[in-house]
Amino acid sequence: MACDARGKTTTIKILTGLLRPSEGQAYIWGVDVEKEPEHAMSRVGAVVETPELYPELTPLEILTYVGRLREMSPDAIRDRSKVVLDEVKMSEWADKRTGKFSKGMKQRVGIAQALLNQPDLLILDEPTGGLDPRGMAEVRDVIKGLGRSGITVFMSSHLLYEVQETCDSVALINKGKLLMYDDLARISLWRKGGRVEVEALPPIPPEIVERVQAAPGVKSVRGPDGNRIVVELEGGDEERAALLRQLLGWGLRVRSFKDVEMPLESLYLELVKESR
Amino acid sequence: MATEGATQPTVPQAPQPTVPQADRRTARGARFLIVARFELMRQLRRRRLLILLIITAIFLVLLIVVIQVFRTASADSYSYASSFGGFVPTLAALAATFFGADALVGEFEHRTGYLLFPQPVTRTSIFLGKLVAGFSLTAVTLAVYYGVVATATAIVTRGLPIEIAYSFLLAVLYSTAALGVAFVLSSTLKGTTSASVMTFAVLFLMLAIVTAIFSVADLRPDGNLAFAGGTISNILSGPYPQAYPGDTEFPGGPGPGGRFRVYSPAVPLSILVMAIWAAVGFGLAWALYRRKEMKG
């Protein structure tokens, strides 16, 4: 995950042999992708950007082309083509030339070809980029289904909610450098600050706001704005838990206590700031 | 740089296939034939071969009619067949433009490389596949042209000189070299249109202009592909090698002597020149194509 133009697609292009690294090597399953591209990509399916399809060919013919390059037998290609086209809801277009397909349809054929030989690793570069909301939801469902079926999905995205919805682990990069790599469930352990929005049953007395301001780990307090205050914290989860305990102890009737930014967003911004 | 304490990714080893793996009947080295097969399918669907064959047919019909109207009764099979030789370099230039100019650059410009390049296939196999497809289509076009020429010669003159076959082989070699030029431009330039225009301009105009400049400067243009291609027509002049035309001089040229020399390409040297153009062209194109990156 990274913001735009921070190295996500470049990383994936290097892994899939579309770009050469300016230094260092890239490996898939321990195989150097530059020296042995056939071996490295033999059990990998990839969809990089939104691939354009050959307009003279039908999805079925494109799958046959890809299947033959992946050393699949004609029988296996025929059987798997039906399955993957069903999976991406393109069966009724299987025999139509792709010249006039929409971007979403091309993306789905792209995913179908990547799944054709049931790869152990699927590489997706911003798989929902340019799709309409329905298309995005469909592609996310496909990705989650693949993850459940045991395929490792390596995907890039700048959409935080997409990462949180579909991924188990996340690597944050900035300008081509790895800032962090960990399980999504443990991301909160990395967080060192952020803003918490506290909503309470009215009123919020001014002395409570003053107490919060003086509490350990609190940088600033904004509000009260109606029945809401926003607390900027220096610490992580421990400080949040302590603040909540204190608020309850002071008699504040808290009805919600939540991060203003998503954990990934605040963590990413924090790590980018630190890396400068 | 990873943040201190970051969980570092490890490099997992290749897993054992969890599904019935594809059969291994396709040898790794044969992938270029798969690329060639689908390239041919694409070219045929684009109707470029059909268009080129229509152009060829129109020209042949016109030529046959014109020759029939203006030929003298004594004209033999050599002079009849040689009337068709002059069009071959143009046909080869058209074939190279149609089947070679956009072959490599098209994957980048049209972004189909995002589909093809991440497959388990090397750039060399892709290059070879496109070369085989381009060569096949060019050879088919020339074969049709020479087939019609041979048939017309046999019917009209009741003779069929073996030199028509020699000319066909020279034409195939010339068109292969032309395809090499097209591939170099296709691996160098960024767009299919510029590659196509440049290919035709180089093969149809620039090389001919260089040949003319060399002749005016009284220099033998032996290394020039267009000059070497003159053998395709010259070899139809009469029984080879006896009747093969040599250099000729005409009065009225520049300089004190006032002579103007027209050079005639020698067949063995021209074969070597065309082979070198083909080898250097494809070698250079391959080197450039292997390193070409999918940016943007």
Side-chain angles (χ1 to χ4, degrees):
Chain A
M1 198 195 84
C3 293
D4 283 339
R6 288 293 183 269
K8 299 185 300 293
T9 298
T10 301
T11 304
I12 281 182
K13 282 184 175 180
I14 288 170
L15 283 171
T16 51
L18 294 162
L19 291 178
R20 286 189 312 280
S22 52
E23 57 181 277
Q25 289 86 38
Y27 297 90
I28 293 179
W29 308 125
V31 181
D32 190 321
V33 296
E34 202 182 358
K35 289 179 181 163
E36 298 179 79
E38 287 185 341
H39 186 194
M41 299 305 290
S42 62
R43 300 294 303 155
V44 177
V47 185
V48 186
E49 301 207 345
T50 301
E52 282 299 324
L53 309 173
Y54 296 112
E56 310 85 9
L57 304 182
T58 67
L60 217 46
E61 287 164 344
I62 288 169
L63 293 179
T64 304
Y65 188 7
V66 167
R68 294 305 294 154
L69 290 175
R70 294 185 193 168
E71 302 180 340
M72 294 174 73
S73 69
D75 289 346
I77 291 170
R78 191 174 53 246
D79 294 346
R80 283 292 300 160
S81 293
K82 191 174 180 316
V83 171
V84 293
L85 287 173
D86 273 348
E87 213 160 305
V88 298
K89 300 181 177 67
M90 285 296 292
S91 294
E92 63 178 299
W93 300 90
D95 293 316
K96 304 277 190 297
R97 292 195 191 172
T98 62
K100 290 184 179 171
F101 279 14
S102 68
K103 195 171 181 181
M105 292 164 83
K106 288 175 184 173
Q107 185 77 326
R108 281 189 273 168
V109 175
I111 292 175
Q113 64 81 24
L115 295 172
L116 188 66
N117 65 334
Q118 292 176 285
D120 298 305
L121 173 64
L122 184 66
I123 297 176
L124 302 173
D125 178 32
E126 306 210 17
T128 57
L131 299 183
D132 61 22
R134 185 178 164 187
M136 290 167 89
E138 283 176 0
V139 168
R140 275 190 213 119
D141 284 345
V142 170
I143 294 168
K144 283 189 272 187
L146 293 169
R148 283 194 293 273
S149 70
I151 294 175
T152 301
V153 181
F154 181 92
M155 61 176 267
S156 73
S157 180
H158 64 271
L159 303 174
L160 303 163
Y161 59 91
E162 182 170 276
V163 172
Q164 289 185 307
E165 193 183 335
T166 54
C167 299
D168 299 320
S169 305
V170 63
L172 302 180
I173 60 173
N174 184 45
K175 294 180 181 172
K177 291 188 176 178
L178 180 68
L179 301 176
M180 189 220 74
Y181 169 77
D182 211 336
D183 289 348
L184 202 57
R186 300 203 310 162
I187 285 294
S188 60
L189 299 177
W190 288 79
R191 189 175 44 194
K192 291 179 182 171
R195 287 185 296 164
V196 174
E197 184 187 87
V198 181
E199 275 188 68
L201 296 181
I204 298 180
E207 60 270 24
I208 293 283
V209 177
E210 285 170 18
R211 283 182 175 184
V212 172
Q213 183 73 67
V218 173
K219 281 170 74 177
S220 66
V221 180
R222 212 170 61 208
D225 176 13
N227 61 341
R228 192 173 67 98
I229 58 171
V230 175
V231 183
E232 190 175 357
L233 287 162
E234 283 179 328
D237 282 357
E238 285 297 329
E239 285 72 17
R240 281 171 172 72
L243 177 63
L244 180 58
R245 271 198 310 274
Q246 285 175 313
L247 290 170
L248 294 170
W250 294 329
L252 194 68
R253 293 182 296 165
V254 177
R255 67 176 285 274
S256 92
F257 184 93
K258 64 185 181 191
D259 284 307
V260 174
E261 301 106 348
M262 283 187 288
L264 266 179
E265 186 177 56
S266 55
L267 176 61
Y268 181 72
L269 295 173
E270 186 184 308
L271 290 173
V272 167
K273 199 173 165 186
E274 273 181 17
S275 70
R276 280 181 190 146
Chain B
M1 180 69 74
T3 304
E4 194 180 336
T7 307
Q8 293 297 316
T10 54
V11 178
Q13 294 304 303
Q16 293 301 313
T18 53
V19 294
Q21 172 59 301
D23 71 5
R24 297 276 164 183
R25 279 182 287 175
T26 309
R28 287 187 187 282
R31 281 194 172 99
F32 80 92
L33 292 175
I34 298 166
V35 176
R37 178 188 150 198
F38 282 89
E39 277 294 309
L40 282 170
M41 187 191 283
R42 288 181 55 218
Q43 293 286 7
L44 292 174
R45 296 245 174 108
R46 292 163 92 181
R47 298 182 184 165
R48 290 192 172 181
L49 181 63
L50 183 65
I51 293 166
L52 194 55
L53 289 178
I54 290 171
I55 293 171
T56 305
I58 291 169
F59 187 82
L60 278 168
V61 168
L62 287 174
L63 209 55
I64 288 168
V65 169
V66 169
I67 293 169
Q68 197 60 36
V69 170
F70 293 103
R71 75 185 276 261
T72 57
S74 60
D76 62 4
S77 55
Y78 285 103
S79 65
Y80 184 84
S82 66
S83 306
F84 294 91
F87 180 62
V88 175
T90 306
L91 188 60
L94 282 170
T97 305
F98 275 36
F99 306 130
D102 68 349
L104 305 179
V105 69
E107 301 283 1
F108 296 88
E109 188 187 10
H110 302 311
R111 298 165 60 86
T112 46
Y114 283 120
L115 179 75
L116 183 59
F117 298 149
Q119 305 301 331
V121 57
T122 60
R123 288 283 180 95
T124 302
S125 294
I126 297 171
F127 181 88
L128 283 174
K130 287 173 180 288
L131 195 162
V132 168
F135 175 80
S136 305
L137 292 165
T138 305
V140 165
T141 307
L142 290 171
V144 169
Y145 183 80
Y146 274 90
V148 174
V149 170
T151 306
T153 305
I155 291 170
V156 174
T157 68
R158 301 193 182 283
L160 190 59
I162 186 67
E163 281 73 15
I164 291 179
Y166 297 161
S167 178
F168 171 66
L169 294 175
L170 288 167
V172 169
L173 185 54
Y174 178 84
S175 64
T176 306
L179 205 58
V181 173
F183 268 45
V184 170
L185 292 167
S186 190
S187 60
T188 311
L189 298 173
K190 288 187 175 176
T192 50
T193 306
S194 56
S196 298
V197 170
M198 280 301 294
T199 298
F200 194 71
V202 167
L203 294 171
F204 192 67
L205 293 174
M206 291 183 194
L207 291 177
I209 291 168
V210 170
T211 303
I213 291 169
F214 269 60
S215 294
V216 169
D218 209 16
L219 293 167
R220 281 193 69 84
D222 278 325
N224 189 310
L225 179 62
F227 181 69
T231 52
I232 296 167
S233 182
N234 287 358
I235 206 163
L236 293 168
S237 300
Y240 181 77
Q242 297 90 329
Y244 191 79
D247 297 350
T248 48
E249 282 191 341
F250 298 96
R259 309 293 293 174
F260 187 78
R261 189 187 294 262
V262 175
Y263 294 103
S264 177
V267 174
L269 181 60
S270 294
I271 289 172
L272 182 65
V273 167
M274 289 191 279
I276 289 172
W277 271 77
V280 172
F282 288 128
L284 189 59
W286 172 70
L288 292 167
Y289 182 64
R290 277 186 70 202
R291 298 191 64 78
K292 196 161 180 152
E293 296 186 320
M294 198 80 198
K295 291 178 179 167

